[in-house]
Amino acid sequence: MTAIPTAARAYILVAVLCAAACALPLRTGAPVSWSAVLMLAGLYAVCELPARCRYVGDSVPVGAGSFFPVLLAAAFLLPPAAATLVAVPGALLGRVDQRPEGVRRIWRAAQLSLATWGAAQAYLLLGGERTLRAPDFPYALLPAAAGALAFCLVLTALDGGILATAERLPVRSAWRGLLLRSLATHLVHGLAGLMMAVLWRSPYGPLSALFVLLPMYISCWIFAQYHRERAAHQATIRALVQAVDLKDKYTRGHSERVGRASVLIARELSMDEGRLEVLRFAGILHDVGKLGVPTRVLRKDGPLTPQERRVIELHPEYGHEMVRGIGFLGEARAAILHHHERLDGSGYPYGLVGRQIPEFARVVAVADAFDAMTSTRSYRRARPVAAALEELKRCAGTQFDPQMVRALARALTRHGWETAVTSDEPGAPPAARGNVPAQSEPVRVAMRGRDDRADGPG
């Protein structure tokens, strides 16, 4: 997302105004240790700065939350209005990977300020200031846990809101799973923040609190290893897709669009966010088995012989064998193998029926057929999106899962779809975006490509 919708900008503005209002009591409230405010704000900013350095930025991933203990320590040590300010310098100086950078930094500053303010309020409400003076263990753990929980709840609420307004996710799924995925991590950060606060007020002074950050740096490094491994996974996927596109010029770009359409369907079905990336991989790699099909068969202009058809129908099994050893693909492997199965059992390679077909395969099958029908190829024009949806609905229950078809229809109503020319051959007809008459052949023909080809979409 490069352009931020108006609703999201209004949402960010409200968050900024709320954060500013939380800091207003500084003018009339109790005395504040400005040295502590400056030290904690500077510490958090210093922790965020390495992510912007070209030499170490890849080793310190921004947004991992590794330095949230600093903010929680501020919530435990300072009045709520003062704690609100601690996150601002670090958030404004931190790394941003997407544009517009300025708006995203302001949003991050407002979000963290409000979360820190909420943590400080919850901590005070349960008498945290009193238990910290002693410190009175284990009773000090209760207000610290309440502060960490409030921090997590505020972040979760704000994250869900920005997903609903900026990414236009359904309200019922924008917050789905956010709290459960982050609660345990924030409770651990709350414990680390409490340790920092105790050491800060101990005879050893503020410098001793820095030792608590050492395990945070270690966890940050481990998280960076995960990011590098993930980048390697992405590179592997891109290489495989590029190889398929080079071999089958009639479907160039098709794989990426099937991946996007698969994710649109999954979001409408409120699938867990952790599965979405794997499903996207399934959509992108669904035709990787074409690498095992002779090029002369893929590019043949005339009708396929029965023997050539049988060769092409092996591509799901070829693809499954190619990715069998890639562990991070998980459920995607089953989708690659079974995306040409049909609910009535007439599909291939195994003729599975109904719910025997894996869920990911049923999603990819709909996304695959939809993009095949709405893409302009050198040998035929694209169908309009509405006509393609009608054809999918007509074949729902026999060829496609009706639930997946309905989810795609809802997603397209919400997000739209851009059709594309997927062949670079001379003479390809212009892309059709609603002004081309619907073709009359069933989806099974549209899926087979030229001359009833059985190689799947494209």
Side-chain angles (χ1 to χ4, degrees), residues 166-305:
E167 302 291 345
R168 296 187 177 93
L169 292 185
V171 173
R172 60 188 173 88
S173 61
W175 283 273
R176 183 182 177 89
L178 288 178
L179 180 61
L180 292 179
R181 287 198 301 272
S182 57
L183 180 58
T185 301
H186 285 103
L187 289 176
V188 173
H189 289 164
L191 179 59
L194 178 63
M195 294 169 61
M196 286 190 67
V198 170
L199 288 172
W200 190 284
R201 289 193 171 179
S202 72
Y204 299 104
L207 287 178
S208 63
L210 297 180
F211 287 100
V212 179
L213 291 179
L214 180 60
M216 297 297 102
Y217 273 106
I218 294 174
S219 67
C220 189
W221 179 83
I222 293 173
F223 196 77
Q225 307 314 304
Y226 160 76
H227 270 261
R228 280 197 285 270
E229 182 178 355
R230 185 171 178 269
H233 294 168
Q234 298 280 7
T236 300
I237 300 298
R238 284 196 300 271
L240 289 171
V241 171
Q242 287 171 359
V244 174
D245 285 348
L246 287 172
K247 184 163 187 174
D248 189 359
K249 60 186 177 182
Y250 292 109
T251 59
R252 194 157 298 164
H254 167 70
S255 298
E256 291 287 348
R257 291 192 302 277
V258 172
R260 291 201 301 271
S262 298
V263 171
L264 287 178
I265 295 172
R267 288 192 186 280
E268 288 296 325
L269 296 174
S270 299
M271 281 192 189
D272 186 84
E273 289 288 328
R275 300 176 71 197
L276 293 186
E277 184 173 30
V278 177
L279 178 58
R280 187 174 69 86
F281 288 157
I284 290 174
L285 292 175
H286 73 285
D287 274 344
V288 69
K290 286 183 177 180
L291 293 174
V293 177
T295 303
R296 62 175 179 80
V297 177
L298 287 177
R299 298 188 178 185
K300 184 177 180 181
D301 290 327
L304 298 175
T305 66

Side-chain angles (χ1 to χ4, degrees), residues 338 340-354 356-357:
H338 297 295
H340 278 299
E341 305 284 1
R342 296 169 52 119
L343 261 64
D344 61 6
S346 63
Y348 61 90
Y350 299 133
L352 301 184
V353 178
Q356 292 178 348
I357 305 172

